[in-house]
Amino acid sequence: MKRITILIADDDPEIADLIGLHLEKEGYHPIKVTNGPAAVQVIQSRHIDLAILDIMMPGLDGYEVTRQIREQHGLPIIFVSAKTSDLDKITGLVIGADDYMTKPFNPMELVARVNAQLRRSMKLNQPVTEQKAVVEAGGLIVDPDRRSVTLYGHPVELTPKEFDILYLLASYPKKVFSAEQLFQQIWGEAYYEGGNTVMVHIRTLRKKLGDDQNKNTWIKTIWGVGYTFNG
């Protein structure tokens, strides 16, 4: 059976070695690099199943590496960074990361998050046995097979998580999903600190769909309960 390959990009060799050691114990094959350009080169030349990125790296920072990855690949990305502010976390999630951990971190927790992201990724990439329905509402079209969204004929570029949230909500119009339900179904793991993560993704999704604070055309907040598709 082919070993799962995980890219570790961190300019601190001790941290990269620590992460690599714990991943090897789980049976994974880590590839370690110390700068952004090397991370991009590995992604372009090797099959990588998941990437663990530092943000502050020489050459290209983790944000730019993520942008370049997301231009062609949907693999899971986890940030492990010393940048601890909410703005840093929000920025990382908005540009396409799937998870964010701050340094110092528990290596076993990181391995657990790697396992969770890989389980979800493998589930999404299983052969499709039944074609999912395209959702149309007004001028919005959500196509799950092409993973594309158009709004009044114009394409809307969404991250993988934003697309999954929109498709889930749009598939059950008027049904209210709590933040906990969305996190468990989209991220595929137990809800612990997922409330802010869901809120950030809903916020950026609304912005891309043209919703504003006074009129949530597509995604409506039911205060104290959750979110519902309003198309």
Side-chain angles (χ1 to χ4, degrees):
M1 182 176 179
K2 182 180 178 182
R3 293 179 71 189
I4 292 173
T5 302
I6 297 177
L7 172 65
I8 304 167
D10 197 305
D11 61 351
D12 187 330
E14 291 186 3
I15 291 178
D17 288 342
L18 176 65
I19 296 172
L21 178 64
H22 282 81
L23 292 176
E24 286 177 338
K25 288 181 180 179
E26 287 289 305
Y28 299 132
H29 172 54
I31 296 177
K32 294 174 284 186
V33 299
T34 59
N35 59 73
V40 173
Q41 193 277 330
V42 169
I43 291 291
Q44 292 174 342
S45 62
R46 301 282 299 271
H47 174 79
I48 301 297
D49 297 286
L50 181 144
I52 298 172
L53 307 178
D54 187 17
I55 291 178
M56 296 179 288
M57 294 188 292
L60 296 173
D61 64 21
Y63 295 145
E64 181 58 30
V65 172
T66 298
R67 291 188 187 97
Q68 294 193 28
I69 291 174
R70 284 289 173 254
E71 289 177 356
Q72 297 182 332
H73 304 283
L75 60 92
I77 297 173
I78 300 176
F79 276 134
V80 178
S81 174
K83 297 171 75 69
T84 61
S85 74
D86 288 341
L87 179 59
D88 294 320
K89 296 176 184 178
I90 290 170
T91 300
L93 294 170
V94 166
I95 66 173
D98 298 282
D99 204 348
Y100 193 113
M101 289 189 69
T102 57
K103 299 176 182 178
F105 60 92
N106 184 326
M108 297 308 298
E109 181 183 352
L110 175 58
V111 170
R113 296 194 184 198
V114 166
N115 291 337
Q117 290 297 334
L118 287 171
R119 283 196 303 269
R120 181 180 178 277
S121 177
M122 291 175 182
K123 182 178 180 181
L124 288 175
N125 291 323
Q126 287 178 350
V128 177
T129 56
E130 180 179 346
Q131 191 175 34
K132 293 182 179 179
V134 174
V135 176
E136 298 186 36
L140 182 70
I141 301 176
V142 186
D143 187 330
D145 293 316
R146 293 187 173 89
R147 293 188 68 81
S148 65
V149 176
T150 57
L151 183 60
Y152 302 117
H154 300 286
V156 180
E157 298 297 327
L158 301 181
T159 67
K161 290 292 193 300
E162 290 166 357
F163 180 89
D164 292 340
I165 291 172
L166 178 61
Y167 185 70
L168 177 61
L169 292 174
S171 296
Y172 298 92
K174 307 305 180 182
K175 175 180 172 62
V176 180
F177 288 86
S178 67
E180 180 176 359
Q181 289 173 322
L182 287 174
F183 190 81
Q184 289 175 340
Q185 293 201 45
I186 302 302
W187 276 261
E189 55 187 287
Y191 180 86
Y192 45 102
E193 295 180 352
N196 286 337
T197 299
V198 172
M199 181 182 67
V200 168
H201 281 76
I202 290 288
R203 182 190 306 159
T204 57
L205 183 54
R206 281 174 166 160
K207 183 177 180 180
K208 291 179 179 180
L209 293 175
D211 283 6
D212 58 41
Q213 293 182 352
N214 299 319
K215 184 179 179 182
N216 297 140
T217 304
W218 301 109
I219 299 175
K220 183 178 180 181
T221 299
I222 308 299
W223 294 107
V225 183
Y227 305 96
T228 185
F229 185 72
N230 195 42

